[in-house]
Amino acid sequence: EFFRELLENAERSLNDMFVRTYGMLYMQNSEVFQDLFTELKRYYTGGNVNLEEMLNDFWARLLERMFQLINPQYHFSEDYLECVSKYTDQLKPFGDVPRKLKVQVTRAFIAARTFVQGLTVGREVANRVSKVSPTPGCIRALMKMLYCPYCRGLPTVKPCNNYCLNVMKGCLANQADLDTEWNLFIDAMLLVAERLEGPFNIESVMDPIDVKISEAIMNMQENSMQVSAKVFQGCGQPKPAPALRSSRSAPESFNTRFRPYNPEERPTTAAGTSLDRLVTDIKEKLKLSKKFWSTLPYTICKDERVTAGPSVEEDCWNGHTKARYLPEIMNDGLTNQINNPEVDVDITRPDTFIRQQIMALRVMTNKLKNAYNGNDVNFQDTSDETSGSGSGSGCTDDICPTEFDFVTTEAPPVDSDRREVEASATQPGWSLQTLLIIFLSLVLQRQWR
């Protein structure tokens, strides 16, 4: 929502500025600028837009309109205007503004869009994993840990902390295998967040875009004679316009020098300068989520409502009686549960749905790495996780930072939505989310009793 509001405010600011500065001339050609923002919004929302080509097309169209305005005494055919647009790079009628703006806009929008996409993928993965069904062995182990003390006449004795850890590590063995790819994903998100705070901050790029485009137009006006002469030389002498049309167009042309717009007059956007604060807040939350899946058993078992606590080792339920829990604590992950004394875990059958989420994280991590280096990725085509939409980085040696050296891992395509539907149709009704709710409710029942 923040980025969408930012674009809308930038468009509104440009429109207000240009109406006051250029008046009717702008209003007659406003669709050129409206199309620019429409394409930027379409790109940000996931559209297959080539940023570099789109920006090049904007400046070419603007040159065609400007060229007609500074030469109202001539009639220009469509073919002639197409010839004019080909001189955009050669003549540089707008100075160095198009080049600099292209670098800033492409880098800023690539980083912003990929970062938001990453937040969405992370949320979806967490939501989907929370719906994974617990195994029958896990359910039996939980019931034994929570209710067998009643059978032994020990209703007030809570499970030993280490006992709980082995139960939860067995229950969450597949989830713990997410941790490696999840941590790489979080690291990549934090790197892209740096782009949102640096020189390619989308807020600092979009806020003055109206002034930058106005500067380009003023530069075109100042060099209009030289530009026209070179175009006439390359494209040929145009035909004179009919006298009636010429006289009617004269008042609408650039026959006076328009005052540059004072940046202080630009309306303040609703977004203000809150991007830095927003990114800082998100970064802190991302850092806290590292190692989430491997620490989940510890988070559950340290709750005093669940276990007797690490300090109470002798007077706790160890699965058989009120005594110390002797077995060692298993390591994290599926393969390490082969000798789990509390939960029967088949290490030869990894949960395919969780493996698909690992692949989804890997694909998104690769896209984030590409975005950090300024390489665009087309989110419309998830079947090609390493290909770009063609926008590229827009970088120049003097502007772009040194690329981060990443080692990427290829991953097969993942159709997450389809997999989720298939999984929900084939798995039992119990999920991790349901398991945790039932687990806590059982604990609360124990307390009330």
Side-chain angles (χ1 to χ4, degrees), residues 187-318:
D187 288 338
M189 286 287 290
L190 292 172
L191 283 171
V192 175
E194 293 179 7
R195 291 287 184 253
L196 299 179
E197 297 176 314
F200 300 108
N201 176 326
I202 191 171
E203 189 172 33
S204 63
V205 169
M206 292 305 298
D207 189 42
I209 195 171
D210 48 3
V211 174
K212 292 178 181 179
I213 294 176
S214 182
E215 289 175 358
I217 292 174
M218 296 301 294
N219 190 81
M220 169 74 176
Q221 182 185 351
E222 291 173 357
N223 299 286
S224 59
M225 294 183 64
Q226 299 94 310
V227 170
S228 297
K230 290 182 179 179
V231 170
F232 293 160
Q233 183 179 0
C235 298
Q237 190 69 21
K239 297 178 180 180
L244 181 61
R245 181 182 183 279
S246 179
S247 62
R248 184 184 304 155
S249 302
E252 301 173 359
S253 66
F254 277 87
N255 54 6
T256 59
R257 286 183 57 83
F258 291 91
R259 66 181 179 90
Y261 195 82
N262 185 352
E264 295 180 358
E265 300 175 21
R266 187 166 66 253
T268 302
T269 61
T273 55
S274 57
L275 180 61
D276 289 340
R277 183 172 65 253
L278 182 65
V279 172
T280 298
D281 182 59
I282 294 175
K283 283 174 62 179
E284 290 304 311
K285 288 181 170 60
L286 288 172
K287 290 175 183 177
L288 291 174
S289 71
K290 286 196 70 174
K291 298 184 179 180
F292 170 79
W293 303 103
S294 61
T295 59
L296 191 53
Y298 296 89
T299 302
I300 295 172
C301 294
K302 75 178 181 181
D303 192 322
E304 62 182 11
R305 296 172 299 175
V306 177
T307 68
S311 60
V312 183
E313 297 182 354
E314 302 294 340
D315 299 327
C316 56
W317 171 251
N318 65 6

Side-chain angles (χ1 to χ4, degrees), residues 144-145 148-149 152 154 160 163 316-325 327 341-342:
K144 176 184 176 182
M145 182 176 76
C148 280
R152 300 297 176 90
L154 303 170
C160 299
Y163 174 33
C316 56
W317 171 251
N318 65 6
H320 302 282
T321 187
K322 181 181 177 182
R324 176 187 290 269
Y325 183 74
E342 310 305 333

Side-chain angles (χ1 to χ4, degrees), residues 43-57:
Y43 172 85
Y44 172 73
T45 55
N48 188 12
V49 177
N50 187 307
L51 283 177
E52 288 189 5
E53 289 182 2
M54 184 270 293
L55 290 169
N56 289 339
D57 182 62

